[in-house]
Amino acid sequence: MLYLVSTPIGNLGDITLRALEVLRAADYVASEDTRKTGLLLKHFDIKKPQIAFHEHNEEKARPRIIGLVQAGQSVAVVSNAGTPGIADPGYTLVRRAIDLDLPVTMVPGPSALVMALVLSGLPSHSFTFRGFPPRKSGKRRTFLEVDRDSPHTLVFYESPHRLRDFLADALAVYGDRPAAVANELTKMFESVRRGALSELIAQLEGTEPRGEYVVVIEGAVDQ
Ligand code: SAM
């Protein structure tokens, strides 16, 4: 069996009972970062052989993981944080398992995307997750323009040092829409700022964004 196992996005208390059960029972743990996952496993007193599985070795690691599952072994795939396959490796492995008719399932759990969307206070019944925007402003604006007329709430991941530039481009492309900036979710300094994009930009002025961010922006409202 191939298991995609969600792990905490900050607060270790968010590990689920089933995640622990599956990690304990797995023959192998496929990890985006074996050192980080080693610390997680150690915290829960789990000893398990790990297989590195990250964006730079996916092509090589995938056949090995698939081969183990074909041989009847159970492999638990974890990313550094949150849900594998969400802005993290996982998709191609699931695709391959499905194509080969191999047993695949998931242990659901934390994901920054869902938590930020729900806490944003923006409509959550229909949304578009865009992951990480391009780093350069020109490409980023083109990327944002795709959803300019979309009625769905938009969710983005962004790094702290690009956050302000991202918000400036979002304001230029979408206009001054309601939005939310979620930071350090589930951690000690968790915060969710809500307001129009221009207000969020003003709030962040003169600060040095730190930690992890999710930006949520309201969709286009009917004219
Ligand atoms: N697979 C993860 C998930 O399910 O959320 C996402 C992995 S992605 C490589 C990392 C990005 O997720 C961060 O740059 C940030 O945008 C977002 N993120 C992860 N943890 C977060 C947290 N505790 N607070 C806010 N954003 C977080």
Side-chain angles (χ1 to χ4, degrees):
M1 175 72 87
L2 180 67
Y3 294 92
L4 282 287
V5 180
S6 298
T7 56
I9 56 169
N11 189 326
L12 287 182
D14 291 333
I15 193 88
T16 66
L17 294 175
R18 193 160 158 249
L20 291 177
E21 194 182 296
V22 166
L23 288 169
R24 283 203 180 100
D27 295 304
Y28 295 89
V29 174
S31 324
E32 189 183 4
D33 180 332
T34 51
R35 191 191 63 84
K36 281 196 180 156
T37 298
L39 294 174
L40 180 82
L41 295 177
K42 192 161 179 234
H43 182 86
F44 292 107
D45 206 16
I46 298 171
K47 290 194 185 77
K48 212 47 71 169
Q50 289 194 61
I51 300 168
F53 177 65
H54 46 74
E55 60 174 336
H56 306 294
N57 83 340
E58 249 189 283
E59 292 299 312
K60 245 177 95 178
R62 192 170 51 244
R64 179 166 174 221
I65 294 169
I66 291 291
L68 287 166
V69 177
Q70 279 174 318
Q73 305 277 290
S74 63
V75 183
V77 180
V78 300
S79 59
N80 283 350
T83 298
I86 300 298
D88 269 339
Y91 159 68
T92 60
L93 199 51
V94 173
R95 185 66 257 165
R96 190 78 187 123
I98 293 167
D99 289 345
L100 294 172
D101 221 5
L102 292 171
V104 53
T105 190
M106 168 166 190
V107 179
S111 183
L113 136 70
V114 173
M115 183 161 173
L117 173 67
V118 171
L119 288 182
S120 70
L122 298 170
S124 55
H125 55 274
S126 172
F127 68 94
T128 301
F129 174 57
R130 296 297 312 275
F132 286 100
R135 293 162 183 229
K136 297 229 168 80
S137 182
K139 281 193 175 168
R140 188 161 54 219
R141 286 194 183 202
T142 309
F143 170 92
L144 294 176
E145 276 158 11
V146 170
D147 293 305
R148 188 170 32 210
D149 300 320
S150 162
H152 312 296
T153 298
L154 304 172
V155 187
F156 303 89
Y157 285 169
E158 190 50 289
S159 79
H161 52 278
R162 280 189 289 274
L163 178 68
R164 284 182 300 191
D165 288 348
F166 170 79
L167 291 172
D169 281 344
L171 176 62
V173 172
Y174 300 135
D176 207 7
R177 293 189 191 175
V181 172
N183 180 217
E184 295 290 85
L185 294 170
T186 77
K187 303 184 198 177
M188 193 185 299
F189 297 107
E190 172 180 307
S191 75
V192 183
R193 295 166 193 255
R194 303 173 187 89
L197 281 167
S198 63
E199 290 165 354
L200 294 170
I201 290 168
Q203 280 182 32
L204 288 166
E205 211 154 287
T207 66
E208 199 45 67
R210 283 173 200 276
E212 300 194 276
Y213 287 91
V214 184
V215 179
V216 187
I217 303 175
E218 190 165 288
V221 282
D222 287 340
Q223 304 299 320

